[in-house]
Amino acid sequence: MATLEIINVTKRFGRKVIAADNVSLEVHDKEFLVLLGPSGCGKTTTLRMVAGLEEVTDGNILIDGVDVTDLPPRKRNISMVFQNYAIWPHMTVYENISYALKLKRMEKSEIDRIVHEVADMTKIGELLERIPAQLSGGQQQRVAVARAIAVSPKVFLMDEPLSNLDAKLRVSMRTELKAIHDSAKATTVFVTHDQSEAMSIADRIVIMRHGKITQTGTPEEVYDKGANLFVADFIGTPPTNFFDVELQRNGKGLHLVNSYFDLRLLPENEARLKGYNKDQLTLGVRPENIILVKKSKSILDTTALVVEPQGSHQVIAFRLGEKIIKIVAPALPKMEMGETIHLDFQQESLRFFDPESTLAIGD
Amino acid sequence: MKKKFTVLFVVLVVASMLLAACQQEVVEEAPTTLVFSSRLFSPPAEQEFFINEIAKPFEVENNVVINFQIIDDQTLLDRADVQQNTDHVTTDIVVAHNSRMAEWIENGWIEDLTDIVAGWKDRTFSEAFVENTNKDGKQYFLPVGADVYLLLANNKALPYLPDGVDLDTITWEQYAAWAVAVAEGEGEGKVCITGIPAKSWVYMFGGTALSYGAGFPDANSAGALDAWRVWESIGKAEGFVPTVLNIDSCVDPMMREESWLTVFHNARAGQVYASNETQFTLAPAPTGPVGTGSIAGVSGYAIMKGSANYDLAVKFLEYLTRPDIQVKLAKGTGGFIPPVKEAMDFLGDEAIDEVINKAVLVLENGVVSGVPAGNYQDWGAVKACFDDVFADTILTGADITQARLDEAQACIDALLK
Amino acid sequence: MVATRSKSLRKMWGQATPYLLILPVVIYYAIFWVRPVIAVIIGSFTDASGVFTLQNFVMVFSDENFWPALNNTAIIVLFSVTIEFIGALFLALLINRKFFGSGIFLFLTLIPMALPAVATGAMWITGLTAHGWINSLLYYLGVLAEGEKIYWLGGIEPNPTKLLALVIIIDAWQVIPSMMIILLAGLQNLPKAAKEAGYVFGGNFMTVLRKITMPMLRPTIQTAVILRLISAIQIWLIIVLLLGFGRIPVLVERIVYYHEEVPGLNISYQMAAGYTIVVSTIVSLTALVYLRVSGAFKKEETA
Amino acid sequence: MNRKVNKKIIKAAKDTVFYLFLTTLIAGMLLPVYFIVSLSFLSTREAYRYPLPLVPALKTDFELTYGENGYILSVWDRTDKEYQTVLDTNEVEKMEVYIKARLGTKITQEEIRAEIARLENSGQESIFFTKPRSLLYNYDTFFKVTRDAVPALIRSIEIAALTILISLSIGGLAGYAFARYIFKGKDALRFSVLFVRMFPGVAIALPMVFILAKANLYDEPLGLSLIYSVGAIGLTIWITASIFMGIPKSLEEAAQVFGGSKLQAFMRVTLPLALPGLAASAMYTFLGAWNETVAAIILTQFKPTFSVVVYQTLLGAQGNVNLAAAGGIAMALPALIFTFFLRRYINQMWGGVTV
C-alpha cells in the first residue's frame, strides 16, 4: 500500500473562485482519512485533484513519493467511489467490476477470480449478471465499492459514497466500509459533509473550510479539542453551545460572566487562560457537559422549552436570550416541557475561544 | 441490442460503399456514355418510348449508352451553369424549351451547329422557329417536338354546342358561346385554362389574339382587345371551372372531368384524348378573322460546349432529326409535331396521326408565332403581366378597359431588353 | 523547468479542448457556408454593377408583395407554432402513458414526418382539388350531396384566410411528429414523483399539467419551440406546391420566386439577396426575443 | 365478488374507449396517407374518377360489343355503376396497351382475340368478361421507367449514411464540447450554430454546389453528403449537446479512474450510452438527406440519388397521379423502414439516459 502527499495544492476556477487554497496534507499507509467540511469547502475538489479528474493550478501531489500531479487518472494507480456511484448502466455488474482489469489485460481466469472475491467481500455475489437498473441503491453502492477495490489501488478515494442512501442503510454501510477497508488495507481518502459519519469511520479527520484545512486530527482530537469555533460548532450533534462571556477577576478567582450566569472557573481552567489578556471570551460547552443539578448547586435556572426523549438519553432545549441551547441529559429523571431546570457546566471539558480570531485558547 | 445496432449501422455503411464501388467499376467498363438531358418527353410513357424505341437502336448500332434524363428547364440551366463554370462538363446534349433558348445561347453554353446542319441535305427545319433556335444567323438548336394549341372537349359538352357549329371551323365567339351555354346548363363553369401564375395563360390568350390579328405578345392592340373580349364573355358568365386558380396544367382537370372544354397544347391534349378516345373530341383551335391563331412551342436539341463526346453527339442528333425518326418520335410521344418539312411524308392515318395532322393543319395554315422570349429580360415576368390582367378582370367578371390593357402593355414593354 | 513547461502546456491544452472540439464545425462552415453567405450579404448591399447601395432594401420594402408576405408569414408562424405545440404536447402526453401498443402508436404518428415532398404534394393536391379524395370521402359519408363540391383551394372568389388556414393545418399535420418527439423525450425524463405529488395535493389533470409538468418541461419546450420557430418563418414549399407562386406570398417564397421563377430580371438577384437578408434578420431577431423572453439565456449562464 | 366483476367490466370499458379513441386519432392522422397509398394501387382510369373509389379494384369487368371502327370495349365503372366505353377500335394491340396502361389489368393479345371470337360466335350483341388487376402495375411502371433505380437507391442510402457519419462526428464533437465544458463565448457560439439554420438555405444552395464542384466533388456521393451536413450539423449539435448533458459526467470520470484514457472513456462509456439518442437524431439527418433533390439534381450526372431519379420520373406525371403516388410511396418506404427501426430509440433522444 501507499502514502499520499498533497503539497501546497491550489485550485482556481477562472480568476475569482479558489476551490482549494494551498492545501497540504499527508495520508499514511493504510490510513482511513476523512475530508470533512460543509458543502463548497473544497473537499471534493481536493479529492478530484488527487484522482486526476481536476487539474492542479499549483502545487504537487505525490503517491508513494512519486509526483503524479501531471499524470492522467489511469496512471495514478488509484480508484474511486463516486457520489452517485457512476456505475455504467450499459454494463452488467460483472462487466462493471472487471472493466479496469480487462484494460490491464489480465488473464480471464484471474479477472474472474478477483471479481468473485470482491463481490463476495461486498456481498453482491448473487448479482453479477444483473444490470444496474435492476439493483437497489444499496446494491449499486456495493457494486461501486467492489469495482473500486477490485483494482487493488494504491489509494482509494471515496466521494460522499453514502450520501445517496437512506439513513439506516447509511449507518450500516458505514460499518461495512470500515470493515472492507480493514480487510483490504487500502490507503483511503473519504470525503463527506456528515460529521457523525466522519467520526465513526475515520482514522484521522481533516476538516476543511473555504478551501483551507482548518484542523487535522483523530476523531477524538477534533471532537474534544476543536481548533476553532467552526470546528467546535461543526463536530457533534447537537452542536456545541457557545456563550459570549466577559472575563471578570473577582477577588479569589476568575469568573465568566454574562447576563444569565456567573461561572467561577476552577484553577486548572484559570491556568489555561493565563496568557489570554482580552476581557471578552467565547465559551464553548458540549451539550452533554451541561448537567442537571439541584437548585442549590446551579449556576443557571431556566425553563425547558422542548424535551426530546431519545431512549438512552434526552435532549432538552431552552432559550437563553436569542439563542436556543441544547443539552443532553440522562434519560431519567424525565423532564417535562415548561419544567424549571437547574444547570451547571462540567468544568473539565470547557472550551475557550478568542471571539476575534475564533481560535481555541488554552489547549 | 445497442451493439447489434452499431454493427448493423457499420455494416450498412460499408456495404453500401462497397456496392457503390462495384457499380463504379461496371460504369467504367461500359461503352461510351452519351448524356442526354431533356425537358421534353417527361411523361413516363414518353420516357419509356424514347428509351426503348428511339435510343435503343442507336445504342446498339454505335455501341454507346444513352443516359436519358428528364430535367426541367430551370434546373437544366442551373446544372449547365455549374458544369460550365467548374469545368466538369458531363452533359452532352440538352433539350430546352424555346422560351429559355435565349439564355442558353447568350451564356455561350452550347455549340454552334450551323455548319453541321448545312451538311444534312435530306431535311428542312420548319421556318416557324428560326427566331428562337438561331441567333445572328447561326443555328444553335435543332427543333424537335413542336406544338400548337388544339381544342379538346369532353363529349358531355357536345350537346351544348350551338346549332350549326362545326367543330373543325369553330370560331372564338362560337367557342365562348358554347362555354357559356355549358356553364348555364351545368350550373358550373367547365372551361379549363391554367390559373396558377406563370404557366400557360399567355399562350392560350396569345392564340386568340393572333386569330384577331394581334402580334405576340400584344396586350393592348385592337386585335388583342377583341381577344380579351372573347375571354371576358366567358368570365362574365362564370364559364371557367371554379378551381381555375389552382390549375397548372389542364391534363388533370380534363381527365377528372372537372372541366370539359379547353384549348391547349396538342401533345397534352393528345394525352387526355388517348385516355379515353370515346369520351373526348379533338379539333383544331378556334379561328378568328385572320385565321386560326396559335403560339407554336418547340423544344430544341443542342450540344453542350465542352462535351467530351462531341462527334458522337452530332451523330445522335443527325439520327434524331431524320424525318422518319422525327415522325416515329412524334407518334410515340403523344402527338408533337415534327418540325421537319420532309416528315409529313411519313404520316399515316392512325388516331395519333390525326392529332398530328390537325396540329400540322394549324401550324401550316394558321397564324402562328413562336415565343420571342429572347427579347425580354425574363419571360416568366412577361407571363405574369398577362396573368395579372386575367386575375383582376376576367376572373372576377370585371370589364376589360383599354386603360388596364395599356397598363399591361407597359408592364410587358418595361421588360424588353 | 521542464516540468513546469509541460505542465503549462497541459493546462493550455486543457483550456483549448472545447475550442478544439468546436473547430471542425467552424472550419466546415467556413468552407461551405460562410463564403456563399457573405456573397449574398454583399449582393444585398450592392447594385448590379457592384456599387454600394441601400436601394435593394428600398426595393424590397416597397415591393407590393413584401407587406402581405410579412403579414402572411407572421400569421402562419403564430398559428402553426401554437397549433403544432398543442397538438404535439397532446400526443406526447398520450404516448407517455405507455399503454399496450404505444410503440406502434408512436411509429404511426411519425409517418407524416417521413414522407417526401413528392408524396405529400401528390397527396394534398389530389385531395384538395374539387374532384379529389377529400370531397369523395365526404360524398361517401353523406356530407356532400351528389354534385355538391367544396373548393378547398379556393374558388373564383379570393379567400386568403381560408387558404392560410389550410396551409397551417397541412403544415401542422406534417410537423407535429417532429415536435412531439422532442416533447416526448422531455416528458420521459421528468421525475415521476413531482407529478404524483401534484395529484396527491389535490390537482386535477389540467392543473398538474399547467403548474407542474409544463414548468418542469420548460427547457425542452424551449428547444422544441425555437427550432420550430426558425423553420416556421421559413415555410414556403407546401404553399408553392399547393398554390403556386404569388397567391399567398410569404417571405422565403419570395426568395425562391426571384431565384426560380423570374431569375432573368435585372433586379432578380438583388431582390433575392435583399429578401434573404431581411428574412434571416427577422428569424434571428425572433429567435433572440424568444430565447430572452423564455429565459433560455439565464439558464445557460448559471449552468 | 360482484364488485370485483364490476371493476373488471369498468376497466374493460375504459380500455375499449381509450383504444377506440386512439384508433380514431390515428385513423384521422393517417387518412391522407391511406389515400395516397390507395391511389398508388389504382389504375389510371380509376385514379381520375369522381368520387374516387375508396379501395383499389382487384379485377376489371369488360363488355365487348360491335362499334363503328371495330369493337367497342367498355369497362365497369364502380363510381357510376355502369359499363362505360373506352375504346372503339379494330386493333388488338391497341386494346392490349390500353388495358395494360390505363386499366392496370393483365391481358394478352391472344386472350383479346379469343374474346372477340367468342363475341362473333355467340351471335349476341355483347359479351362480358373479367380479368384480374395487377395491383402493382404503377410500381412496376415506376421501376421500369426509372432508370438505375436500384443503384440510385443504394447510393442514396450510402449518401444518407455518410451524411449521418459526417454530421454526427463533426456535430457530435461540438455538441460534446457544449455539454461538458464551460468556456468563453459558449452562448454566442451555440447561438451562431443556430444561425446557420436561420439563414434561408434556398438562397445559397447554388453557390454551395459551386464550391463543391470546384473541389472536385462533382458527381460524388461524398460531395452531396458534405452539402447535406451543412444543414444537419446545426441540429445535430443541439441534439447531441442535450444527449451528452443527460449522461452524468461521473460515468466518464469513473472510466478514466479505472484505467481508461479520455478517449477510451468516451468510446467505452459515453458513446454506448449516447448511441440510442444519436441513432434517433440520425433519423432527422437521414430524412433530410434522403428527401433532398435540389442540390442532388444539379450536382450529379452519372451517380444520381434516388430522390433525383424519382423526381425525373415524376416530372411529367401529369395525368398520372397514381404513378406519382407510387413513386412517392416508393421513396417514402425506405425512410419509413428506417424510422420504424429507430422509433424505440427516439424516446431517449433529447434528454439522454436516465441512470
Side-chain angles (χ1 to χ4, degrees), chain C residues 234-247:
Chain C
Q234 301 182 51
I235 186 174
W236 70 274
L237 183 61
I238 190 70
I239 298 177
V240 171
L241 268 179
L242 290 179
L243 302 166
F245 288 94
R247 286 253 326 263

Side-chain angles (χ1 to χ4, degrees), chain A residues 279-336:
Chain A
D279 43 351
Q280 293 291 331
L281 184 81
T282 301
L283 170 67
V285 194
R286 291 266 169 212
E288 64 271 25
N289 295 336
I290 301 178
I291 49 174
L292 295 166
V293 292
K294 285 182 199 146
K295 185 170 193 249
S296 58
K297 292 203 172 168
S298 79
I299 62 160
L300 176 60
D301 301 326
T302 181
T303 25
L305 187 66
V306 179
V307 179
E308 301 167 8
Q310 304 273 331
S312 62
H313 57 276
Q314 55 186 329
V315 176
I316 304 165
F318 58 89
R319 194 184 288 278
L320 212 58
E322 297 286 286
K323 276 184 179 166
I324 301 285
I325 306 292
K326 282 188 177 176
I327 68 168
V328 175
L332 295 168
K334 178 96 174 64
M335 291 291 149
E336 298 294 332

Side-chain angles (χ1 to χ4, degrees), chain A residues 48 74 84 88 90 100 147, chain D residues 250-251 253 255 258 261 268:
Chain A
R48 288 169 57 82
R74 66 179 190 281
N84 54 11
W88 302 301
H90 58 303
R147 179 176 67 178
Chain D
S250 60
L251 293 180
E253 290 174 346
F258 291 107
S261 64
R268 300 285 288 268

Side-chain angles (χ1 to χ4, degrees), chain B residues 1-60:
Chain B
M1 187 63 217
K2 282 158 202 157
K3 243 180 219 163
K4 257 189 237 162
F5 182 79
T6 324
V7 172
L8 194 80
F9 183 75
V10 171
V11 167
L12 201 74
V13 174
V14 173
S16 61
M17 286 180 182
L18 279 178
L19 274 165
C22 292
Q23 252 169 260
Q24 228 168 336
E25 273 160 38
V26 174
V27 168
E28 278 161 10
E29 283 166 17
T32 324
T33 303
L34 201 58
V35 177
F36 184 93
S37 297
S38 169
R39 48 96 39 200
L40 196 64
F41 316 125
S42 57
E46 297 181 14
Q47 294 185 36
E48 209 177 347
F49 179 82
F50 186 91
I51 291 166
N52 293 329
E53 307 293 327
I54 302 293
K56 191 139 285 163
F58 184 82
E59 286 179 325
V60 172

Side-chain angles (χ1 to χ4, degrees), chain A residues 31-35 43-44 47-48 50-51 78-84 141 144-146 148-149 153 155-162 173-174 176-182 184 186-193 197 201, chain D residues 257:
Chain A
E31 185 179 31
F32 200 111
L33 182 105
V34 172
L35 279 177
K43 55 191 192 301
T44 294
L47 189 81
R48 288 169 57 82
V50 174
I78 47 148
S79 77
M80 186 159 171
V81 178
F82 289 80
Q83 181 170 8
N84 54 11
Q141 215 275 340
V145 173
I149 52 182
V155 182
F156 198 12
L157 307 172
M158 300 195 199
D159 185 10
E160 309 218 15
L162 304 176
M173 275 311 293
R174 193 193 274 178
E176 270 182 53
L177 272 186
K178 183 77 178 160
I180 290 169
H181 168 255
D182 288 344
T187 307
T188 303
V189 182
F190 183 105
V191 162
T192 182
H193 63 268
E197 198 169 285
I201 205 171
Chain D
V257 167

